[in-house]
Amino acid sequence: MHSARVLPFALCLLTTALHAQSAASEAALRDRFEGRAITLKLAMPGTEDGVDIYPGTDKPLDYPRYASRLKNSGTAIKSGQSAMVTKIKVKSNLIEFQLDGGGYGTMGDETSSNVNVSSAPKTKREQNLEGELRRETDPARKRAIKEELDELRRDREREDSRNRATVAEAEEHKKENIRQRRIEGGSRFNLRYRDGVPQSALTADAVMRALAEYVDFGTTSVAASPSPLNSPEAAAPAAPTSRLPRKGMLLEEADALLGAPKTTSQRAEGKLKVVTRTYAMDGGRVTAEFVEGVLIRYTMSSD
């Protein structure tokens, strides 16, 4: 009976100790790598899925899967380019080695380019005429009602056609916005261990060995690598960024770029809601139109 009570207590102590050891190892890895610059030896896909590496196996990198992610998500970091290690995270069966933000597609990132719009509904006049047509017995009057109904239906079809064209434009801009964000969102390596991350893998040297074929850590040790915050490039003044908007950017991005709008208005184009926002610029203004929160067109004018 005594041993039956001791065993669960001992297992609990062991689990707590292992968790503490893993947390300490993760902290050490983060201290060693985060904020350091490395150079890639292969292109990195623009997705949070990143590149899966299976250290210690016959084929550490699944090249068909890697190629598929590059094709579907594009290249976020090119081979030969440098990147900053922005996060190290240890999980039960993998070590995440995140670069330049870790890859697009994490919580909050927009991944769908769909813009939904319903067909133009029948007008009250059209509904009334359909009822009259069913009740009317005079051939001449029925012909006149049918002609008016046909014209109303053509008007509705033209409205649907205009809506589809506007939606297609908005979706294309949204796709381009997502593509651009994928390029700018970084990527990651996932060091995966099928039976769980062994303690021997939770060292800087082990991580560097696992990534040696894909990453150039430089001739000096990682600990001696200059921090981007102290590098000459960081000390130089940043180049001024353009304040011109681009089609496909989100409404929130336009506000962040151009500041709070001076005026905001809405109008309906068929079933679509078009939001027009006017922003002040030096010596002029920008008038931007958004559909489903996506910038589809803008004009610039002087005061």
Side-chain angles (χ1 to χ4, degrees), residues 260-264 276-280 285-288:
K262 298 301 180 184
T263 63
T264 300
T276 302
R277 294 163 85 87
T278 303
Y279 303 89
R285 63 182 179 273
V286 173
T287 302

Side-chain angles (χ1 to χ4, degrees), residues 168-247:
E169 183 181 11
E171 286 184 337
E172 189 56 39
H173 290 323
K174 204 168 182 181
K175 287 178 184 177
E176 180 57 34
N177 181 66
I178 291 174
R179 282 194 290 267
Q180 184 63 31
R181 286 187 161 202
R182 286 192 181 280
I183 292 172
E184 299 170 352
S187 192
R188 69 179 67 185
F189 286 102
N190 300 305
L191 301 180
R192 296 188 177 276
Y193 301 85
R194 290 187 172 90
D195 297 323
V197 179
Q199 191 62 35
S200 59
L202 295 173
T203 67
D205 288 342
V207 170
M208 292 173 69
R209 284 195 302 270
L211 294 175
E213 189 176 345
Y214 320 103
V215 172
D216 181 0
F217 288 95
T219 55
T220 59
S221 67
V222 177
S225 298
S227 169
L229 298 177
N230 298 321
S231 64
E233 292 80 4
T241 57
S242 171
R243 290 192 66 215
L244 293 180
R246 68 176 187 279
K247 290 183 178 180

Side-chain angles (χ1 to χ4, degrees), residues 66-93:
Y66 164 70
S68 176
R69 289 177 182 174
L70 278 178
K71 181 178 180 180
N72 293 334
S73 302
T75 300
I77 310 170
K78 296 180 180 179
S79 176
Q81 283 188 333
S82 63
M84 180 191 294
V85 182
T86 50
K87 190 171 186 179
I88 300 291
K89 190 170 182 63
V90 177
K91 297 184 178 179
S92 61
N93 61 349

Side-chain angles (χ1 to χ4, degrees), residues 30-296:
R30 294 179 64 178
D31 184 61
R32 188 79 180 273
F33 288 109
E34 288 183 0
R36 310 296 177 175
I38 53 95
T39 302
L40 279 306
K41 296 182 182 180
L42 81 174
M44 299 295 292
T47 169
E48 64 162 339
D49 293 333
V51 177
D52 293 332
I53 304 295
Y54 295 86
T57 62
D58 293 338
K59 294 183 178 180
L61 175 57
D62 184 340
Y63 279 96
R65 179 179 295 178
Y66 164 70
S68 176
R69 289 177 182 174
L70 278 178
K71 181 178 180 180
N72 293 334
S73 302
T75 300
I77 310 170
K78 296 180 180 179
S79 176
Q81 283 188 333
S82 63
M84 180 191 294
V85 182
T86 50
K87 190 171 186 179
I88 300 291
K89 190 170 182 63
V90 177
K91 297 184 178 179
S92 61
N93 61 349
L94 69 90
I95 301 173
E96 293 180 359
F97 195 87
Q98 299 187 20
L99 305 171
D100 287 350
Y104 190 81
T106 55
M107 186 178 298
D109 287 340
E110 178 65 69
T111 57
S112 172
S113 60
N114 293 335
V115 176
N116 298 317
V117 61
S118 57
S119 299
K122 293 180 181 180
T123 63
K124 189 67 175 177
R125 176 62 177 167
E126 188 176 353
Q127 295 174 19
N128 291 338
L129 286 174
E130 287 176 340
E132 289 183 30
L133 184 63
R134 288 191 297 267
R135 295 187 298 271
E136 185 62 57
T137 58
D138 180 68
R141 177 58 184 158
K142 289 187 71 169
R143 186 165 52 251
I145 293 174
K146 189 175 184 305
E147 288 176 356
E148 186 176 354
L149 270 174
D150 289 342
E151 183 60 32
L152 290 173
R153 287 165 182 162
R154 284 192 291 270
D155 287 344
R156 188 153 45 85
E157 289 170 358
R158 285 192 289 268
E159 183 177 330
D160 284 339
S161 180
R162 288 192 298 269
N163 287 348
R164 285 193 295 269
T166 304
V167 165
E169 183 181 11
E171 286 184 337
E172 189 56 39
H173 290 323
K174 204 168 182 181
K175 287 178 184 177
E176 180 57 34
N177 181 66
I178 291 174
R179 282 194 290 267
Q180 184 63 31
R181 286 187 161 202
R182 286 192 181 280
I183 292 172
E184 299 170 352
S187 192
R188 69 179 67 185
F189 286 102
N190 300 305
L191 301 180
R192 296 188 177 276
Y193 301 85
R194 290 187 172 90
D195 297 323
V197 179
Q199 191 62 35
S200 59
L202 295 173
T203 67
D205 288 342
V207 170
M208 292 173 69
R209 284 195 302 270
L211 294 175
E213 189 176 345
Y214 320 103
V215 172
D216 181 0
F217 288 95
T219 55
T220 59
S221 67
V222 177
S225 298
S227 169
L229 298 177
N230 298 321
S231 64
E233 292 80 4
T241 57
S242 171
R243 290 192 66 215
L244 293 180
R246 68 176 187 279
K247 290 183 178 180
M249 71 190 318
L250 301 180
L251 186 148
E252 294 81 4
E253 294 177 311
D255 286 354
L257 177 68
L258 301 172
K262 298 301 180 184
T263 63
T264 300
S265 62
Q266 295 183 11
R267 73 177 188 277
E269 288 191 2
K271 293 293 291 181
L272 295 177
K273 183 179 72 174
V274 179
V275 176
T276 302
R277 294 163 85 87
T278 303
Y279 303 89
M281 293 187 68
D282 294 339
R285 63 182 179 273
V286 173
T287 302
E289 295 185 347
F290 301 84
V291 172
E292 293 284 325
V294 179
L295 177 62
I296 62 169

